[in-house]
Amino acid sequence: MQSVSAEAVVIKQAELSHVTRQIQSLKKIIVDNQVQSANLQQQLKTAELEIGKLSGQVIHLTQALAAQQKILDTLAVTQQETQLKLKIQDDALAHQLRAAWQLGSQNQLKILLNQESLSAANRHLMYYKTMNEARAKLIMAIQQNLTLLQATLKASKAHQQTLKKLLAEKEYQQKRQQRILTLRQGLITALGSQTQSKQQQIDTLLANQQALQETITRLKQKEITLTGLPFNQLQRKLAWPVKGTFVTSYGSLTDGSNQRSYGTVIKAPTGTPVHAIYSGRVVFADWLRGFGLLIIINHGNQYMSLYGRNQAIYIKPGQIVRTGDVIAATGNSGGYNNSALYFEMRQNGTPINPAIWCR
C-alpha cells in the first residue's frame, strides 16, 4: 500500500511539473503576443502618421495645381485678348499705309507750293500730321502688345513647367501613400488575428479607453481661459464637426459587447473636412492607440472636444482655432477599415453626450 502511494505521488509530481511547464509556456506566449502586439501598434502608428503626412502633402499639391491652372487660364485669356488687339491694330495700320500710299503722289512739298488754295493746303498738311501721329501711336501700341504677348507666352511656359512638376510630385506622393496603405492593411490584419476572441476585443477596447483617459487626465490640468460665450451656455447651439451618417451614438454598445461608447461615430467619405465645434486651444494633435490621428481641443471651463480616426491633421498643439475652422480630414486611422470620424466631448475629464450640445 505504501509503495502504491509513493508511485501515485511520483505521478502527481510529474503531472504538476507538466502543468507548471504548460503555464510557463502559456505565460511566455502571452508575453510574446503582448510584445508583438505592441510592435504592431507602433508600426501602425508610424504608418498612419506617414499616411496623414502624405495626405496633407497631396491636398497641398492639389491646391497648388488648382492655383497654377487658374494662372494658366488667366494667361490664356490675356494671350487671346492681346492677339485680338494685335490683329485689329495690324489691320488699322495696313489701312493707314494704303491711305498714305494713295496720297503719295501729292507729297507735302507739292501741296505747300500750290498757292491756289492756302486753306486747302493747310487742311492737307493737318491731315498728314494727324495721320502720322496716329500711325506712330498705333505702331507704339503694337510694340507694347507684342512685348506683352511675349511676356505672357514666357510666363505661360514657366507655369506649364511648374504644373508638370507638381503633377509628377503628386503622382509620386500618391504612389508612396498607396504603398503605405497596403502595409497598413497588413498590420491591421496581423493585429486582428491577435484579438479574435471576444474577451481579447474587450481588453483591447478597455486598453484604448485607458490610454485616452490617461491622456485626458494629463491634458485637463492645462486649463485655459477664452473670450466669448462660456461653453456651458452652448447647449443645442453647436454644429456637428462633420456631415455624414451617424453609425454609433453616445452610450450605445460597442461592437456587440457590453462596453458602452463614450462618443459618436459619424461615417463620411475619406477626406471630408472636419470642423472645430467651438473656439479653443489645440492641446493634442497626434496618433493614439485605438483612436488613430486624434485632435483634442480645450474650450475652457473644463470642456474638451475630441476628433479621432482622421486621415490628416491640419493643426498643431498650442494653436488657437475658431468655431468652424477646418482642423482635419476624415479617414480610418487607428486600425479601422471604414472612413468615419470618432467624436467625443468631455467635461472635467468625464465623457458627456455630444447630442446635448450639437444639433
Side-chain angles (χ1 to χ4, degrees):
M1 189 74 176
Q2 188 174 2
S3 62
V4 173
S5 297
E7 184 180 352
V9 169
V10 171
I11 292 172
K12 291 297 181 183
Q13 286 178 340
E15 290 178 353
L16 180 61
S17 297
H18 178 67
V19 170
T20 302
R21 286 194 299 271
Q22 284 185 320
I23 291 172
Q24 290 174 345
S25 177
L26 287 171
K27 283 183 177 179
K28 186 177 184 304
I29 291 172
I30 291 171
V31 171
D32 290 344
N33 284 341
Q34 288 175 342
V35 171
Q36 186 178 4
S37 178
N39 289 336
L40 289 171
Q41 287 286 352
Q42 183 59 42
Q43 291 177 50
L44 182 64
K45 174 182 178 179
T46 302
E48 291 187 339
L49 282 170
E50 184 65 18
I51 289 169
K53 179 183 175 182
L54 291 173
S55 297
Q57 290 175 350
V58 169
I59 290 171
H60 174 74
L61 287 168
T62 302
Q63 293 171 343
L65 282 166
Q68 287 296 320
Q69 189 58 57
K70 187 176 181 180
I71 292 172
L72 281 171
D73 292 342
T74 302
L75 289 171
V77 171
T78 302
Q79 180 180 337
Q80 291 176 353
E81 291 176 347
T82 306
Q83 287 174 331
L84 180 62
K85 287 179 181 178
L86 281 169
K87 185 179 183 308
I88 293 172
Q89 290 167 346
D90 284 343
D91 292 343
L93 183 60
H95 176 73
Q96 286 190 5
L97 291 173
R98 283 195 299 271
W101 181 80
Q102 291 172 356
L103 293 173
S105 56
Q106 300 184 28
N107 58 53
Q108 296 184 41
L109 181 60
K110 190 183 287 187
I111 293 172
L112 282 171
L113 294 175
N114 184 2
Q115 299 295 321
E116 294 180 4
S117 176
L118 188 59
S119 61
N122 286 333
R123 283 198 303 273
H124 279 88
L125 288 174
M126 186 60 67
Y127 176 75
Y128 271 116
K129 182 181 179 183
T130 302
M131 180 178 287
N132 288 334
E133 289 176 350
R135 190 182 305 149
K137 288 181 180 179
L138 193 55
I139 291 171
M140 184 179 294
I142 289 173
Q143 290 174 338
Q144 290 174 345
N145 281 322
L146 281 171
T147 302
L148 175 61
L149 181 60
Q150 289 173 350
T152 301
L153 291 171
K154 184 178 179 181
S156 180
K157 184 177 180 181
H159 284 288
Q160 283 174 350
Q161 290 295 325
T162 302
L163 190 67
K164 186 177 179 180
K165 289 179 181 178
L166 287 172
L167 282 168
E169 178 66 16
K170 182 180 178 180
E171 184 178 353
Y172 171 71
Q173 298 292 11
Q174 285 176 326
K175 286 181 179 178
R176 284 185 61 198
Q177 188 179 30
Q178 189 56 50
R179 286 197 298 270
I180 299 175
L181 282 169
T182 303
L183 171 64
R184 172 187 177 274
Q185 192 57 49
L187 292 169
I188 291 173
T189 301
L191 282 166
S193 66
Q194 290 190 335
T195 56
Q196 291 177 351
S197 73
K198 184 61 67 176
Q199 185 57 49
Q200 286 175 315
Q201 292 177 16
I202 292 172
D203 291 344
T204 299
L205 287 172
L206 290 174
N208 293 343
Q209 286 293 343
Q210 180 63 29
L212 179 60
Q213 187 60 55
E214 290 173 357
T215 303
I216 293 292
T217 302
R218 174 170 52 85
L219 293 174
K220 76 184 185 70
Q221 298 172 357
K222 303 177 181 179
E223 181 57 20
I224 62 170
T225 301
L226 294 171
T227 58
L229 198 65
F231 200 90
N232 56 8
Q233 299 179 22
L234 297 171
Q235 292 189 13
R236 302 290 183 185
K237 295 180 180 178
L238 302 173
W240 288 99
V242 70
K243 293 182 179 179
T245 304
F246 291 81
V247 294
T248 302
S249 58
Y250 174 83
S252 62
L253 294 176
T254 305
D255 297 328
S257 69
N258 58 355
Q259 301 299 312
R260 300 284 177 179
S261 174
Y262 290 156
T264 300
V265 177
I266 308 172
K267 185 179 179 181
T270 300
T272 302
V274 178
H275 303 269
I277 60 168
Y278 195 61
S279 300
R281 185 186 299 277
V282 179
V283 292
F284 187 88
D286 204 342
W287 191 93
L288 187 67
R289 174 181 171 176
F291 299 91
L293 294 176
L294 175 69
I295 294 172
I296 301 177
I297 300 176
N298 188 338
H299 302 288
N301 302 116
Q302 301 296 330
Y303 287 93
M304 291 182 177
S305 58
L306 295 76
Y307 315 76
R309 305 190 189 180
N310 297 295
Q311 180 195 48
I313 291 176
Y314 301 144
I315 41 77
K316 297 179 180 178
Q319 185 174 335
I320 296 293
V321 295
R322 301 300 174 192
T323 305
D325 282 356
V326 176
I327 57 174
T330 55
N332 55 2
S333 62
Y336 297 91
N337 290 317
N338 298 320
S339 176
L341 174 74
Y342 176 79
F343 176 61
E344 188 176 307
M345 292 180 63
R346 298 217 173 194
Q347 179 184 6
N348 198 24
T350 302
I352 56 177
N353 189 354
I356 296 175
W357 301 86
C358 299
R359 55 179 175 82

